[in-house]
Amino acid sequence: MAKRKTVYMCQECGYESLRWMGKCTNCNNWNTFVEEVKQPKRAAGVGVSPSGQASKPTKMNQIEYEKEERITTSMKEFNRVLGGGIVPGSLVLIGGDPGIGKSTLLLQTSAQIASKKLRVLYISGEESLQQTKLRANRLGMDEEELYVLAETNLHNILLHIEQLKPAFVVVDSIQTIFKEEVTSAPGSVSQVRECTMELMKLAKTKGIPIFIVGHVTKEGAIAGPRMLEHMVDVVLYFEGERHHTYRILRGVKNRFGSTNEMGIFEMKELGLQEVLNPSEIFLEERSRGASGSTVVASMEGTRPVLVEIQALISPSSFGNPRRMATGVDSNRVPLLMAVLEKRVGLMLQNQDAYIKVAGGVKLDEPAIDLSIAISIASSFRDQPTNPEDIFIGEVGLTGEIRRVSRIEQRVQEAAKLGFKRVICSENNLDGWNYPNGIEVIGVKTVHEALRYGLHTNEQNEGYTM
Ligand code: TYD
Ligand code: MG
């Protein structure tokens, strides 16, 4: 009798080892090895190309290409994150915390596509038909072309897809699906990998777009091998704070469009509703005239979004002052504080600093530097900023304000929402048209920006700033 070969496989990175190990030598994670039956190796060289045809080298200029017809849903935010709709034959992975609304989002999308007389198959490995129906009822859906399948066996799933010939498929979730030949449990690295591979083959050969839901680990990454994200065409994360009703759909990888696009939704009684004016929402609860608060126009993909950045600076009671940041890169905070200390003369070294981006958004472009710096100075000096000002600029180590991209779009968005002044880099002043009703002020240094930005009063004159 042939001996069953098992190996230990790291559930994080897919590294194989003959022995169990406490720590993965490949990805350095602890306690990630699980015993799995070794899969027979496929013979080399008999693969199919990603398009499903037999592969051969082709001259680039002879490749035939027709403009692909994307399927669009009635949710503009959703289309935009995907780069303008769903590409036929694409494999899209959506990850997110449990209960964040992945199933709701995909069921709504399915219904919208079905309402265009396109056949849709929604496969649920987590909920029964009745549960899905219950949810559909709540969402007020009653589409003729929407089919639901409660199934976890990959072979049956593939069979049904072949028979039904849908134009759009959702698999909720990849961690519940299993392939019989693979003996390890559903959700294990080999199962997830094999099932995704099969779904990819199907998507590419039949040209059916397939959306798969992926669970996330407690660190927030999509569970299963990292390879999963490399295999699929698009990776989206559906995020949000449990206590807020806002949900953000973020592109992390997109072979058909720009990443870092973000779509904003609100979870309502009747499902998810897109939010088309995010700036208004993010500024809704702003405390105007409070010290330590500024507004920045940040680019989220191709769209400018206005967001409030808050800072709280208070004397530290311990030797090591704390620096905490939510929503911005925490390494930038000490850096900007050092610039303020050295170039402006603010004594921040024994101050605790807390920085927060209001509304639970994450910003990661350098154009928000100036806004963070002004918020810090404003809180430290306890001088409010003008609520009708907006700050845009990257701060360099010598305290200089540097140019940012797409200034025109940012300023237009600010003007649209009633802001009266923009304070930005002097180098950003030329080559574009200023919108009406907004004054654009160019500055060279943080020092100069503070002079415009902070409300001065007599007591503060003479203070070295
Ligand atoms: P769900 O889509 O099941 O999350 P996931 O698939 O990501 O685990 O979302 C469930 C949550 O959404 C649940 O907490 C209830 C809430 N919800 C609403 O607020 N309104 C609705 O119309 C629906 C369907 C769900
Ligand atoms: Mg779900």
Side-chain angles (χ1 to χ4, degrees), residues 103 126-127 135 172:
S103 306
E126 300 190 339
E127 292 170 29
R135 189 198 297 261
D172 187 359

Side-chain angles (χ1 to χ4, degrees), residues 9-14 32-36 187-190 223-225:
M9 209 178 253
C10 171
Q11 301 294 301
E12 289 288 335
C13 66
T32 55
F33 278 88
V34 168
E35 186 174 15
E36 294 188 11
S188 65
V189 171
S190 12

Side-chain angles (χ1 to χ4, degrees), residues 158-350:
L158 296 180
L159 205 74
H160 286 299
I161 295 179
E162 303 237 334
Q163 284 172 358
L164 200 63
K165 298 191 175 46
F168 179 70
V169 174
V170 173
V171 178
D172 187 359
S173 64
I174 191 72
Q175 275 84 8
T176 54
I177 309 295
F178 70 95
K179 189 174 166 181
E180 270 166 29
E181 293 89 329
V182 183
T183 39
S184 51
S188 65
V189 171
S190 12
Q191 282 288 5
V192 168
R193 190 168 55 195
E194 289 295 317
C195 293
T196 311
M197 209 104 88
E198 293 281 337
L199 289 170
M200 179 166 70
K201 234 188 285 171
L202 184 80
K204 300 296 170 197
T205 48
K206 299 262 182 307
I208 306 171
I210 303 183
F211 275 57
I212 52 187
V213 172
H215 291 171
V216 295
T217 61
K218 59 181 185 301
E219 285 84 28
I222 290 177
R226 187 87 195 154
M227 219 176 75
L228 189 60
E229 296 190 31
H230 291 293
M231 281 160 70
V232 300
D233 297 310
V234 180
V235 180
L236 307 175
Y237 275 87
F238 203 38
E239 321 171 313
E241 283 182 41
R242 200 167 286 277
H243 310 289
H244 284 90
T245 53
Y246 296 112
R247 302 281 183 265
I248 295 171
L249 185 67
R250 186 188 291 280
V252 179
K253 162 182 175 178
N254 193 346
R255 289 187 180 148
F256 318 109
S258 142
T259 52
N260 291 329
E261 279 292 1
M262 144 176 129
I264 301 173
F265 299 86
E266 187 175 2
M267 182 63 94
K268 292 240 173 107
E269 206 94 313
L270 297 173
L272 289 158
Q273 228 168 46
E274 56 181 337
V275 174
L276 292 169
N277 51 351
S279 301
E280 277 170 38
I281 304 264
F282 291 141
L283 297 180
E284 209 169 54
E285 292 171 80
R286 181 158 67 113
S287 41
R288 297 162 76 93
S291 66
S293 150
T294 57
V295 177
V296 65
S298 177
M299 296 304 292
E300 279 291 342
T302 53
R303 176 174 61 172
V305 183
L306 302 190
V307 204
E308 180 190 4
I309 295 187
Q310 299 178 326
L312 181 67
I313 309 293
S314 68
S316 176
S317 30
F318 301 103
N320 262 342
R322 306 188 62 167
R323 309 270 183 258
M324 274 178 48
T326 26
V328 298
D329 178 6
S330 50
N331 292 327
R332 291 207 76 78
V333 175
L335 189 144
L336 290 167
M337 291 178 79
V339 170
L340 284 171
E341 179 145 353
K342 187 92 178 165
R343 309 289 171 195
V344 186
L346 300 183
M347 285 295 287
L348 292 165
Q349 49 187 269
N350 46 11

Side-chain angles (χ1 to χ4, degrees), residues 83-102:
I86 301 161
V87 176
S90 61
L91 192 63
V92 179
L93 177 64
I94 296 194
D97 286 333
I100 208 77
K102 301 179 294 297

Side-chain angles (χ1 to χ4, degrees), residues 374 384-386 389 391 421 423 448-455:
I374 305 278
T385 55
N386 184 343
D389 281 355
F391 299 89
R421 285 203 312 180
I423 294 158
E448 208 184 333
L450 279 173
R451 251 200 328 267
Y452 284 108
L454 295 192
H455 271 188

